[in-house]
Amino acid sequence: LRTLNCLPVYELDEQLSVLSGRINSKLYEALSAMIKEFKAKHESSSGDNSMMFPVDKFAELLSAEEQALKKVGADTMFITLTAPLREAIAPYAGNQGAFPGSERVLIGFVQEMRSWIANERWFCDGTVYADAVENLRQAHKDDFQTVMSICRAHGRLAYTAELLKKMITSIGKGIENQESIVGGASSIDTAIPCLSEIGSMGGNAVYKSVSLQARRLLLQESLPSVLKRKLRVVNIAKELACGSSDSAQALIDEDIPLADIMLPILNELDGKKECLSAIELYAKQLYQNDVIKDVQYSAEDSQVKIVFTGKQNMNLLKSSAPMTSMTDLTRMVSSGSLSKLCDLSDSESDAGTKKSSTDPIPATTPRSAVFSVVDSIEALESGGVAMFDTLLKAFPKNAESGPINNLHVFVLSNGGCSDMDIFAERFEAVLSQYVDAMTQADIRRVTFVVDTNTKAEEFVGAPTMPAIFTFRAVSDFKEDSLFRHIEPNHAFHLDLTRLSKNFNVKGLNSQQTSTGNIQLYEATPKSYALTKDTKASRAPRIFVRALSFVDAITSNAFESIFVDSMNALDLNGAGNAENNHLFINLISDDRVVLDPSEVEQALMSIIKRHGDRLKRLGLTEVETRLECCLSEGSPPIAIRLVANNPTGFVHVLNTYVEAVDDTETKKVFRLVGGTKASLACSGDSSWEGMDVTTPYPLTRPFDAQRKAAAKSSDTLYCYDLPALFEAAVELKWSDAAAETGVEGSRPMMTTYTTELVVQKKDGSGGSWTMQDYLDGDLELAEMHRGAGANDVGMVAWLMTLKTTEYPEGRQVVLIANDITFKAGSFGTREDVVFKLASEFARAKRVPRLYVAANSGARIGTAEGVKKSFKVAFKDPSKPESGFQYLYVDEETYQRLGPNGDINAEPTVDESGNTVYKLTDIIGAEPDLGVENLKGSGLIAGETSSAYNDIFTMTIVMGRTVGIGAYLVRLGQRTIQKTSSSPIILTGYQALNKLMGVEVYSTNDQLGGPGIMYTNGISHLVAPDHLVAVTQAVEWLSYVPSIRGGLLPITGSSDTIDRTIDFCPTPGAPYDPRCLITGGESADGKWQSGFFDKGSFVETLGGWAKAVVVGRARLGGIPMGVIITENRTSECVKPADPADVSATENVIQQPGCVWFPNSAYKTAQAINDFRTEDLPLMIFANWRGFSGGQRDMFDEVLKYGSMIVDAFVAYEQPIFVFIPPFAEIRGGAWVVLDASINANVMEMYASSKTARGGVLEANGTASVKYRVKDLIATMHRLDDKLKELDAKLASTEDGTEKEATAAAIKQRENMLLPVYEQIAVKFCELHDTPGRMKATGVIEREVEWEHARTFFFWRLRRKLAEYDLRKKLMNATNIGANDSLSPLDASNQIKGWFCESGSGSDTWGDDTTVLSWMAQSHEVLDKKVDDVRVNSIANEIESAVTSSGELGMKALAEGISRLSEKLSGKEKADLGLVLSSMMKSLE
């Protein structure tokens, strides 16, 4: 304290010392005198810590001097000179705290915390140290001193963390106005942002401890003030003592916490009546779930007695029929399929708190509860019979209704004891003396409430909960410690017995908030439970039990108790455990009508909102119980909603109703179908049919599979995938709502899933084999079945996703490896499932997604033979010498041979015995070897076909090997998770063994994203599973719901009529993405691009960076996009660790040139867009192909030709556009010209600035405008040269001729540079858009500023036109007749357009043609039908006339067969047609 008091003195003295001779000497002397005087007094009063330097007076002297100088206009210099001194004064001036330096210390604390955060942010949250250092090096490439300083500071983490915790403690005390080094600091709130930042940090135990302390302080700040609550309760108690009860009821209705303040209030209140009024408040709140009939005071005995009855029990369903939907549940309730398990008061039933219970109490039975106050436990012990008689005399005697009454005793002093077990023993000893008396008083239970007089937390303000001990008659008034510190009225509602069977339970903390009562328990698995579940974790976990009495069950009520429960867990510091569980019981008198589906949606939205915090606290399961009515007038039923997070990314929720079993003797859980989880196949339904008192298991269903999947390849259990897709779709809806600001038409259910299961066609069931498939005996059936019901390592689903593009739903077939089934390997049965599911997708023409996580083709051995074969060694006494052959004896051969398990030759061994030499091992087990490779070939061919027929995509979420890797490539489109998801042909261990050297250390070196994303196998990479699935759903948003279907056109907030702001600068490299998406200008202003803002998604970004490809939207219409990179890019070829001489090779690739890899990327992208039915926009800026030796060797010619092949197969519109200041030259034009596929391709150029030609203007000029041509042009145009030419021609003097010739030569040399430029310009004018249009190689010039609008309407017109011509082509494709070509079909449509009265000159007006198609669609459909009729007639005529008499006979036979298939009316109509025809022939 003495040092702190001197802190301002030393600091001011330091600043004042430099002002000697620079400020008024009198002022300097006065200030110095103040400092000297304080120092002298301070030294002489060594025992006085209260002396404080008069900082305010010091500041006043400075201000007075400033004002005096201001009057004469000389204050400016003074202010400048004294600025450092004033800054030193600021933290101490006006100090209200105990210490003058508190503000200064606080500033130092905040600075240190900020510095600590800046350092440790690089290392926290589980970042590997090596990665953190690498990130630091990248961020500070030229400042290694900073890197070293941060690393050295991190090396002292344990010490700096302890220092930081002491700072946080001081700040907490300062906030609570306790004695603290920062107490009274005016800007103490400035520490809150730093505390919030520290509270969000995680990682190792050190970070967690600091983070926990910061969060505790922040949470403590949010708790209601203890002093304010006490004052309010005291005032209301005084009002109640005077006869006013309005405020009392309001207090009870608000559910203000009373448990932590009741004993201090009773200690502080003087009047007995006021004490009893406070007790009445407590009693009414405690029994608010019962009906209170009467309240009686006994001031003499310090007692309050209430008379109450219970409430009717809720109803239970008793139907055993399955509840497949909410409709079924409502029908059961309305049909009276209900039962009351017992007509009891639930709050007082000991069922649920003990295995054996006393007799149940009818709800209508009047009962008594007495609340009494004693000074101490010693008074209770020494009071004897008289004391206990006083406690019991308020109870009616000999009611003969069994134990029904309750006794509550407040013990005001704990006598200095803090051991809870000692308290319990002393209370139990007291009660044991009066068991008979309590029995006569019909005492059901006795509860003691004792002031613990300790603080639960470091900071004042935390509630100090009392100790509560309950002793029940059912236990001979002995305590069950499981229910310690819980009000007995609440214990029943907490389902505590579900904890005690499988866990050793220890109470951690209890808390009462304005929202409810919260209890925390640490549960450690019991030994006997671990013997039953050997794979369960032995680590302790936390069970949080929360009870909330609410006026109405609302989302706000749930979120309040939900957040308070998380706060309680966080404050307790128990959030480091895993598998924690939260149970919330919402109880309300208001039996509101609720739709469980809507409740489910509301709860899920709240849980998702707090998902990150739940994950951090280790809360893997949230269980909510509530009672509601399904309709007006219907009885209430109990609903349980269980949300868990099996994937670690998204919560799934199952809804159960509490029903009675078939015997109507116990409650069980019944799953309610038709909810989100059941329809999306994202729940496990594991509670179905379980008793409501069933103990919590050590592991949840499929935890073992999830752990196996994570351990095997850091992937997910396959049955958790539907939940991820549901979450991804909902994220898309949330993004759309955030973009538009409204929820729009978001459906309540976004995902419906049915499993696709292979079964025998005859329905015989049982197992099936590949041979059944080859025989055609298998089919794929859609069914709902529970997770984990598969008996094969491949699973498939048909999913209906209600996306923003298809709110009515689009179907997707999802196929996934089950990596927990034989390591996810491909056997023949897995191949059949994959094949049939893929064929199913092709038949429905819907997208097929494959989630890859496998170990390649299955490898096995014949175990039966393995256990039986023998070895013929060359020398049996020396087996190390080698062997001759493997064999089986006679007995084994007779057992294995006839079954075909082996092939063997009889031979005679050295002993003369006949043995059977093994020649082939077939094995009895399936899928041992090469048959699996045959199955792999089957699905490889299927995937190749599927790529051409439908949209295919692979999401690599784990290791994928061999055939799994080939399926990735054959499906083309690939999203790869960045960690633990290599795409490999052989594992690194096998390669190391093959080479005999430990070359590779991970599979990622062979097929990780560093390899597969940079070589174009993987189109996108994702940091985790959810992002990967979200990227897949995003990709699907650009693709039609079925192959060949209409494009998913969405609304766009980016208006189509706007201009394009971004325009390249001539000669300056730029990011081509700005051309299509827009970007910020140098001054930070947004410049719009060609496509809708934010709609472009790039793919293949890691490979062949000389070309950029992706998907975007133009006015909401999805398009494929290809654009040239005009900047130099790098192609990095890594060094192979297997080659010691190899080095990393970095190749610089100039912009605007096609290299082998970028040409291949272009061709692949075009093929991908084609199979996605996307129109294509190419922003072309290529000078040609790279034709050097290396690139020619690397097959640039082959890959360039593939671009042409891809264009030829395209069926949707393709626009090739030369943007501003871009060009297409030579071979690049050849592979882009519209004549490659005139059916769909069109070329355009930006007006004036685009260029196109065989060579660049410079090259053309060097070939076609040589020096002699330049000189001829000079002599034709230059007047001086003309004059010299004339002079040279007219003179005959040799000397003069030489001089003139020299002058001509000099003039030519002088003009040559400018005429070279003229030649280039001349050649360039041959490459302009005007000439392109004149020669017919482009459709037209387009102003770049308005290109967006032009191409939008052009695209809409072409899509409509192509749709109509496709119908027309199909109409003519009858029998052997050739259908119309696309161009012929377009010409016929043009003819119809002209016939409608429109001139042929308006055929090129896109809006006019679109308007005509929209207005004439019925007429056009009729014309198409007429064409189809005519085509059918022509086909019949051709077939009949070309076959003579047989043709006529066939015609008659065909009519006869047709008539057999027609209805009566159709036959009559056919008869009329034939009759009319016959008459016309007459």
Side-chain angles (χ1 to χ4, degrees):
L1 294 180
R2 290 175 58 78
T3 303
L4 281 173
N5 289 340
C6 287
L7 187 61
V9 178
Y10 294 129
E11 196 164 353
L12 297 179
D13 193 17
E14 181 182 2
Q15 295 296 335
L16 183 63
S17 64
V18 300
L19 297 178
S20 177
R22 306 174 69 186
I23 62 174
N24 186 312
S25 59
K26 292 183 178 180
L27 174 64
Y28 180 81
E29 291 173 1
L31 297 176
S32 299
M34 288 179 65
I35 292 175
K36 290 177 182 178
E37 181 183 355
F38 182 83
K39 285 183 176 179
K41 288 183 178 179
H42 191 267
E43 290 175 2
S44 63
S45 58
S46 58
D48 186 4
N49 295 331
S50 62
M51 289 185 61
M52 293 188 183
F53 182 75
V55 178
D56 293 338
K57 184 177 179 182
F58 196 94
E60 287 173 6
L61 290 175
L62 286 174
S63 298
E65 181 70 12
E66 180 186 338
Q67 293 299 322
L69 292 171
K70 190 173 184 179
K71 292 178 181 179
V72 296
D75 61 324
T76 304
M77 180 62 72
F78 178 79
I79 293 173
T80 303
L81 288 173
T82 58
L85 185 60
R86 293 170 184 273
E87 290 176 3
I89 292 173
Y92 306 102
N95 181 71
Q96 301 298 320
F99 312 117
S102 59
E103 184 71 25
R104 187 70 184 84
V105 173
L106 177 68
I107 293 172
F109 280 6
V110 172
Q111 289 174 346
E112 289 301 321
M113 287 194 292
R114 286 172 180 164
S115 176
W116 189 86
I117 292 168
N119 282 357
E120 299 305 330
R121 262 302 174 199
W122 296 98
F123 302 93
C124 68
D125 297 327
T127 304
V128 177
Y129 182 81
D131 293 341
V133 174
E134 180 61 26
N135 294 336
L136 273 168
R137 290 180 59 224
Q138 294 297 324
H140 304 280
K141 291 182 179 179
D142 302 322
D143 189 3
F144 291 111
Q145 186 59 42
T146 298
V147 177
M148 181 63 70
S149 298
I150 293 174
C151 290
R152 291 179 64 186
H154 175 68
R156 305 284 292 176
L157 175 62
Y159 301 98
T160 58
E162 286 301 317
L163 181 61
L164 206 69
K165 288 163 72 174
K166 292 182 184 298
M167 292 181 186
I168 294 172
T169 300
S170 294
I171 292 171
K173 291 179 179 179
I175 291 175
E176 292 294 335
N177 296 318
Q178 297 183 69
E179 184 176 300
S180 166
I181 197 171
V182 294
S186 59
S187 60
I188 198 164
D189 288 343
T190 58
I192 299 300
C194 290
L195 293 171
S196 298
E197 183 78 5
I198 294 169
S200 67
M201 298 171 75
N204 61 30
V206 177
Y207 289 121
K208 288 180 178 178
S209 66
V210 179
S211 175
L212 173 62
Q213 188 155 350
R215 292 198 308 275
R216 280 179 171 178
L217 175 54
L218 293 171
L219 290 171
Q220 213 59 59
E221 277 299 282
S222 67
L223 293 174
S225 168
V226 174
L227 295 176
K228 288 182 180 179
R229 283 191 290 125
K230 284 174 64 176
L231 182 60
R232 183 180 177 191
V233 173
V234 167
N235 290 335
I236 293 175
K238 291 179 179 178
E239 292 178 10
L240 192 60
C242 296
S244 175
S245 61
D246 294 340
S247 300
Q249 190 57 48
L251 181 80
I252 295 169
D253 292 341
E254 291 176 36
D255 216 6
I256 297 297
L258 298 179
D260 58 326
I261 59 176
M262 182 51 58
L263 288 171
I265 287 174
L266 294 178
N267 274 311
E268 293 172 13
L269 285 175
D270 296 329
K272 276 197 172 184
K273 193 167 185 182
E274 293 170 356
C275 285
L276 298 179
S277 297
I279 293 174
E280 180 184 348
L281 291 173
Y282 182 88
K284 286 184 174 180
Q285 186 184 72
L286 186 61
Y287 284 84
Q288 62 182 307
N289 203 41
D290 295 286
V291 180
I292 297 178
K293 300 291 187 180
D294 187 25
V295 179
Q296 302 171 11
Y297 286 8
S298 175
E300 179 184 354
D301 299 324
S302 298
Q303 288 182 349
V304 175
K305 174 183 176 182
I306 65 169
V307 179
F308 67 97
T309 60
K311 292 181 180 177
Q312 293 293 108
N313 196 0
M314 55 85 191
N315 290 272
L316 298 170
L317 293 171
K318 62 180 181 180
S319 173
S320 59
M323 285 177 283
T324 59
S325 66
M326 287 296 173
T327 304
D328 289 346
L329 178 59
T330 306
R331 174 180 50 77
M332 291 179 189
V333 173
S334 60
S335 65
S337 298
L338 296 166
S339 172
K340 288 187 179 178
L341 193 60
C342 52
D343 194 10
L344 304 180
S345 168
D346 270 349
S347 65
E348 291 304 312
S349 173
D350 283 322
T353 58
K354 290 290 287 182
K355 290 181 182 178
S356 60
S357 67
T358 53
D359 294 333
I361 305 169
T364 56
T365 301
R367 306 167 59 195
S368 298
V370 174
F371 294 79
S372 187
V373 181
V374 298
D375 292 332
S376 64
I377 188 172
E378 289 80 6
L380 196 64
E381 290 171 326
S382 62
V385 177
M387 168 71 78
F388 218 79
D389 285 344
T390 301
L391 294 176
L392 298 180
K393 72 179 184 179
F395 293 103
K397 299 295 189 294
N398 300 319
E400 298 183 358
S401 56
I404 60 173
N405 301 320
N406 306 323
L407 173 62
H408 301 260
V409 182
F410 292 103
V411 182
L412 298 182
S413 172
N414 58 27
C417 178
S418 60
D419 190 316
M420 297 297 109
D421 291 333
I422 292 177
F423 270 130
E425 291 173 3
R426 293 174 70 181
F427 285 132
E428 188 175 315
V430 170
L431 293 179
S432 64
Q433 304 174 42
Y434 307 108
V435 172
D436 292 340
M438 290 188 289
T439 303
Q440 291 180 8
D442 291 333
I443 300 295
R444 189 178 186 83
R445 64 166 186 257
V446 180
T447 301
F448 295 96
V449 182
V450 188
D451 189 357
T452 56
N453 198 28
T454 59
K455 301 299 179 187
E457 303 296 335
E458 289 92 334
F459 315 117
V460 169
T464 305
M465 298 301 294
I468 301 175
F469 305 87
T470 299
F471 303 83
R472 303 178 186 277
V474 70
S475 306
D476 295 326
F477 295 103
K478 298 186 186 323
E479 189 206 20
D480 186 341
S481 60
L482 177 62
F483 308 102
R484 184 179 292 175
H485 307 320
I486 307 174
E487 284 288 0
N489 298 57
H490 300 158
F492 168 79
H493 299 289
L494 297 179
D495 278 5
L496 293 177
T497 51
R498 297 188 68 189
L499 279 63
S500 57
K501 183 173 182 180
N502 290 332
F503 298 93
N504 293 314
V505 182
K506 180 179 74 173
L508 291 179
N509 195 7
S510 63
Q511 190 175 109
Q512 186 180 23
T513 71
S514 60
T515 61
N517 298 274
I518 302 164
Q519 307 289 331
L520 273 68
Y521 299 92
E522 182 182 72
T524 305
K526 291 182 176 179
S527 299
Y528 92 92
L530 287 169
T531 59
K532 295 181 179 179
D533 189 352
T534 56
K535 295 183 179 180
S537 171
R538 297 174 179 269
R541 63 201 69 183
I542 307 301
F543 283 88
V544 184
R545 320 297 283 178
L547 174 64
S548 181
F549 295 94
V550 295
D551 291 334
I553 297 174
T554 63
S555 57
N556 287 338
F558 171 77
E559 187 164 18
S560 297
I561 187 65
F562 178 58
V563 171
D564 281 348
S565 300
M566 290 190 293
N567 290 346
L569 180 59
D570 215 346
L571 280 170
N572 195 73
N576 294 333
E578 295 181 351
N579 297 317
N580 298 334
H581 179 280
L582 169 59
F583 169 73
I584 296 175
N585 195 350
L586 294 175
I587 298 175
S588 173
D589 287 338
D590 185 10
R591 301 301 189 185
V592 294
V593 176
L594 296 175
D595 182 344
S597 295
E598 294 178 359
V599 175
E600 181 180 288
Q601 187 178 22
L603 262 62
M604 279 303 295
S605 66
I606 294 169
I607 290 171
K608 287 177 182 177
R609 195 154 56 238
H610 300 276
D612 291 341
R613 191 177 184 199
L614 285 171
K615 188 174 181 179
R616 178 169 57 79
L617 292 172
L619 281 167
T620 54
E621 194 164 69
V622 178
E623 176 189 354
T624 305
R625 184 185 187 276
L626 56 90
E627 295 178 13
C628 65
C629 302
L630 299 184
S631 60
E632 291 291 344
S634 68
I637 59 171
I639 301 291
R640 296 267 184 143
L641 301 105
V642 183
N644 52 49
N645 187 2
T647 63
F649 299 103
V650 58
H651 283 80
V652 295
L653 191 147
N654 288 284
T655 302
Y656 300 88
V657 62
E658 294 182 11
V660 293
D661 65 354
D662 295 337
T663 64
E664 296 193 13
T665 58
K666 64 178 181 178
K667 299 180 187 177
V668 295
F669 293 118
R670 295 289 310 281
L671 178 69
V672 179
T675 60
K676 291 187 71 172
S678 60
L679 292 175
C681 282
S682 56
D684 58 34
S685 65
S686 58
W687 287 19
E688 168 66 21
M690 284 176 25
D691 192 308
V692 295
T693 60
T694 301
Y696 290 114
L698 302 188
T699 57
R700 288 177 299 279
F702 310 114
D703 271 2
Q705 289 90 329
R706 291 177 182 121
K707 289 180 180 178
K711 183 178 180 180
S712 174
S713 191
D714 188 26
T715 189
L716 300 177
Y717 182 43
C718 61
Y719 279 94
D720 290 332
L721 291 173
L724 254 66
F725 276 87
E726 181 184 14
V729 173
E730 292 188 349
L731 279 174
K732 284 281 291 176
W733 279 104
S734 297
D735 292 343
E739 181 179 347
T740 60
V742 294
E743 281 291 330
S745 56
R746 176 175 182 167
M748 188 175 73
M749 280 292 305
T750 59
T751 307
Y752 296 84
T753 305
T754 55
E755 191 172 349
L756 301 175
V757 181
V758 176
Q759 62 182 19
K760 293 182 178 179
K761 289 182 179 178
D762 60 10
S764 59
S767 184
W768 48 266
T769 64
M770 169 67 86
Q771 191 58 48
D772 292 319
Y773 166 76
L774 297 174
D775 294 340
D777 294 335
L778 300 180
E779 64 181 1
L780 206 62
E782 300 179 35
M783 63 176 63
H784 287 279
R785 67 175 185 177
N790 58 311
D791 60 354
V792 60
M794 191 75 70
V795 187
W797 297 270
L798 175 63
M799 306 180 70
T800 300
L801 309 177
K802 292 191 173 184
T803 63
T804 53
E805 300 78 28
Y806 292 97
E808 296 303 317
R810 66 175 302 161
Q811 290 188 324
V812 173
V813 170
L814 176 65
I815 307 172
N817 298 106
D818 182 355
I819 202 167
T820 67
F821 187 93
K822 298 185 178 179
S825 58
F826 289 83
T828 55
R829 282 164 55 83
E830 284 74 19
D831 297 329
V832 169
V833 174
F834 188 102
K835 170 73 171 174
L836 289 177
S838 184
E839 288 179 340
F840 180 84
R842 284 204 288 155
K844 295 178 76 70
R845 303 183 66 79
V846 299
R848 191 208 79 182
L849 275 58
Y850 167 48
V851 177
N854 55 72
S855 54
R858 187 169 300 156
I859 303 172
T861 57
E863 294 299 321
V865 181
K866 184 178 179 180
K867 296 175 182 178
S868 304
F869 78 89
K870 298 180 180 179
V871 182
F873 291 100
K874 292 178 180 180
D875 184 351
S877 64
K878 296 181 178 180
E880 65 272 16
S881 300
F883 69 95
Q884 302 179 57
Y885 55 84
L886 306 182
Y887 70 92
V888 295
D889 55 26
E890 177 72 28
E891 179 184 357
T892 304
Y893 179 75
Q894 294 302 324
R895 177 166 52 85
L896 300 178
N899 297 329
D901 294 353
I902 58 173
N903 291 332
E905 300 173 349
T907 187
V908 178
D909 63 9
E910 294 179 354
S911 303
N913 298 321
T914 300
V915 296
Y916 293 85
K917 177 181 176 182
L918 293 175
T919 58
D920 307 290
I921 299 178
I922 292 86
E925 302 88 347
D927 301 346
L928 297 182
V930 71
E931 64 271 34
N932 297 328
L933 299 180
K934 177 180 175 64
S936 296
L938 179 73
I939 61 176
E942 167 59 32
T943 301
S944 180
S945 298
Y947 172 74
N948 287 309
D949 292 347
I950 57 175
F951 176 88
T952 57
M953 178 190 291
T954 305
I955 308 172
V956 183
M957 285 194 181
R959 172 196 66 240
T960 184
V961 186
I963 178 58
Y966 278 108
L967 292 178
V968 168
R969 180 55 190 163
L970 290 167
Q972 300 291 341
R973 303 171 193 86
T974 303
I975 300 172
Q976 184 178 16
K977 187 165 68 73
T978 53
S979 62
S980 304
S981 301
I983 304 168
I984 55 176
L985 297 178
T986 305
Y988 76 93
Q989 300 97 329
L991 290 176
N992 288 342
K993 188 172 183 180
L994 181 66
M995 292 182 287
V997 181
E998 295 293 323
V999 173
Y1000 302 105
S1001 57
T1002 67
N1003 283 323
D1004 281 343
Q1005 291 177 281
L1006 303 172
I1011 302 298
M1012 294 302 173
Y1013 186 54
T1014 54
N1015 69 9
I1017 296 296
S1018 296
H1019 291 59
L1020 295 171
V1021 291
D1024 57 50
H1025 306 85
L1026 180 58
V1027 173
V1029 173
T1030 303
Q1031 288 178 346
V1033 172
E1034 173 72 19
W1035 200 326
L1036 282 171
S1037 70
Y1038 293 91
V1039 182
S1041 58
I1042 61 171
R1043 182 68 197 276
L1046 297 178
L1047 291 170
I1049 300 175
T1050 61
S1052 174
S1053 58
D1054 198 354
T1055 58
I1056 197 58
D1057 294 329
R1058 67 163 171 81
T1059 57
I1060 300 174
D1061 297 332
F1062 180 84
C1063 186
T1065 302
Y1070 62 94
D1071 186 346
R1073 296 164 187 81
C1074 294
L1075 204 69
I1076 55 179
T1077 66
E1080 289 188 353
S1081 62
D1083 59 0
K1085 183 180 178 182
W1086 176 258
Q1087 294 178 313
S1088 60
F1090 181 86
F1091 289 105
D1092 299 345
K1093 184 178 180 180
S1095 69
F1096 176 68
V1097 177
E1098 184 177 356
T1099 54
L1100 296 170
W1103 173 48
K1105 297 180 181 179
V1107 172
V1108 177
V1109 302
R1111 291 149 190 81
R1113 293 184 184 274
L1114 180 61
I1117 305 173
M1119 296 190 77
V1121 186
I1122 299 175
I1123 187 169
T1124 315
E1125 174 60 82
N1126 61 86
R1127 301 167 298 178
T1128 299
S1129 58
E1130 290 184 348
C1131 176
V1132 180
K1133 295 187 177 180
D1136 189 346
D1139 184 357
V1140 293
S1141 63
T1143 59
E1144 184 181 85
N1145 191 11
V1146 180
I1147 303 170
Q1148 299 291 324
Q1149 296 183 334
C1152 303
V1153 177
W1154 259 315
F1155 293 90
N1157 59 353
S1158 56
Y1160 189 12
K1161 177 177 179 178
T1162 304
Q1164 178 171 321
I1166 295 170
N1167 281 323
D1168 287 346
F1169 299 146
R1170 172 180 60 84
T1171 54
E1172 294 172 27
D1173 295 315
L1174 291 178
L1176 174 58
M1177 189 80 197
I1178 301 175
F1179 294 91
N1181 186 14
W1182 282 284
R1183 292 179 290 147
F1185 289 86
S1186 176
Q1189 183 188 54
R1190 181 180 59 199
D1191 293 323
M1192 291 298 289
F1193 181 79
D1194 287 340
E1195 306 169 280
V1196 67
L1197 189 62
K1198 177 195 296 183
Y1199 297 131
S1201 301
M1202 291 171 62
I1203 297 174
V1204 177
D1205 294 336
F1207 278 139
V1208 169
Y1210 220 87
E1211 296 180 349
Q1212 289 282 49
I1214 299 176
F1215 300 135
V1216 180
F1217 178 60
I1218 310 173
F1221 308 108
E1223 58 185 343
I1224 309 179
R1225 304 290 179 181
W1229 188 289
V1230 171
V1231 301
L1232 291 169
D1233 190 77
S1235 60
I1236 292 173
N1237 187 350
N1239 296 328
V1240 297
M1241 292 183 71
E1242 294 180 347
M1243 288 193 74
Y1244 298 88
S1246 180
S1247 61
K1248 300 179 182 179
T1249 60
R1251 296 292 182 264
V1254 178
L1255 296 174
E1256 295 181 35
N1258 286 330
T1260 303
S1262 67
V1263 174
K1264 292 299 182 180
Y1265 222 126
R1266 299 180 185 275
V1267 175
K1268 63 182 181 64
D1269 301 311
L1270 293 173
I1271 292 173
T1273 304
M1274 293 179 203
H1275 285 270
R1276 181 172 63 82
L1277 297 176
D1278 187 67
D1279 292 338
K1280 182 67 173 175
L1281 283 175
K1282 288 179 183 180
E1283 181 182 331
L1284 290 172
D1285 286 342
K1287 183 178 179 180
L1288 181 65
S1290 63
T1291 186
E1292 294 183 358
D1293 187 301
T1295 303
E1296 189 175 351
K1297 276 193 173 185
E1298 287 180 4
T1300 303
I1304 291 173
K1305 188 66 175 176
Q1306 183 182 4
R1307 180 70 176 176
E1308 288 174 350
N1309 289 338
M1310 184 180 70
L1311 294 176
L1312 187 60
V1314 70
Y1315 271 81
E1316 284 177 344
Q1317 296 176 33
I1318 292 170
V1320 171
K1321 183 63 177 178
F1322 175 77
C1323 293
E1324 182 187 348
L1325 291 174
H1326 288 73
D1327 302 337
T1328 60
R1331 187 174 188 279
M1332 296 180 207
K1333 178 68 174 73
T1335 56
V1337 297
I1338 65 172
E1339 295 290 325
R1340 59 172 285 179
E1341 298 180 54
V1342 178
E1343 289 282 349
W1344 170 242
E1345 187 178 10
H1346 303 291
R1348 170 179 166 85
T1349 305
F1350 168 78
F1351 280 108
F1352 170 76
W1353 291 109
R1354 188 67 178 170
L1355 177 60
R1356 282 195 57 183
R1357 179 260 175 86
K1358 283 297 177 182
L1359 290 173
E1361 180 184 333
Y1362 287 9
D1363 183 58
L1364 180 58
R1365 84 178 186 185
K1366 184 178 180 180
K1367 293 178 182 178
L1368 188 56
M1369 291 165 64
N1370 289 337
T1372 59
N1373 188 19
I1374 304 296
N1377 286 340
D1378 293 331
S1379 64
L1380 285 174
S1381 70
L1383 288 179
D1384 289 340
S1386 290
N1387 287 331
Q1388 185 159 341
I1389 295 170
K1390 181 179 178 180
W1392 292 344
F1393 175 74
C1394 295
E1395 290 172 5
S1396 67
S1398 302
S1400 60
D1401 56 332
T1402 58
W1403 178 246
D1405 188 331
D1406 297 325
T1407 54
T1408 301
V1409 175
L1410 265 174
S1411 177
W1412 169 71
M1413 288 184 179
Q1415 294 172 4
S1416 309
H1417 69 277
E1418 293 181 356
V1419 175
L1420 293 174
D1421 289 343
K1422 177 69 167 55
K1423 287 182 178 292
V1424 172
D1425 291 342
D1426 292 342
V1427 170
R1428 179 177 294 276
V1429 169
N1430 187 55
S1431 298
I1432 295 172
N1434 289 340
E1435 175 66 15
I1436 294 173
E1437 178 186 0
S1438 174
V1440 171
T1441 55
S1442 63
S1443 302
E1445 293 183 3
L1446 288 177
M1448 296 298 294
K1449 185 176 180 181
L1451 176 61
E1453 178 64 22
I1455 293 173
S1456 175
R1457 292 181 184 178
L1458 177 63
S1459 65
E1460 294 175 0
K1461 299 179 180 180
L1462 298 178
S1463 64
K1465 185 178 183 306
E1466 290 171 334
K1467 287 181 180 179
D1469 292 341
L1470 177 62
L1472 291 175
V1473 172
L1474 293 176
S1475 176
S1476 175
M1477 186 184 304
M1478 294 303 298
K1479 288 181 179 179
S1480 64
L1481 292 176
E1482 295 175 358

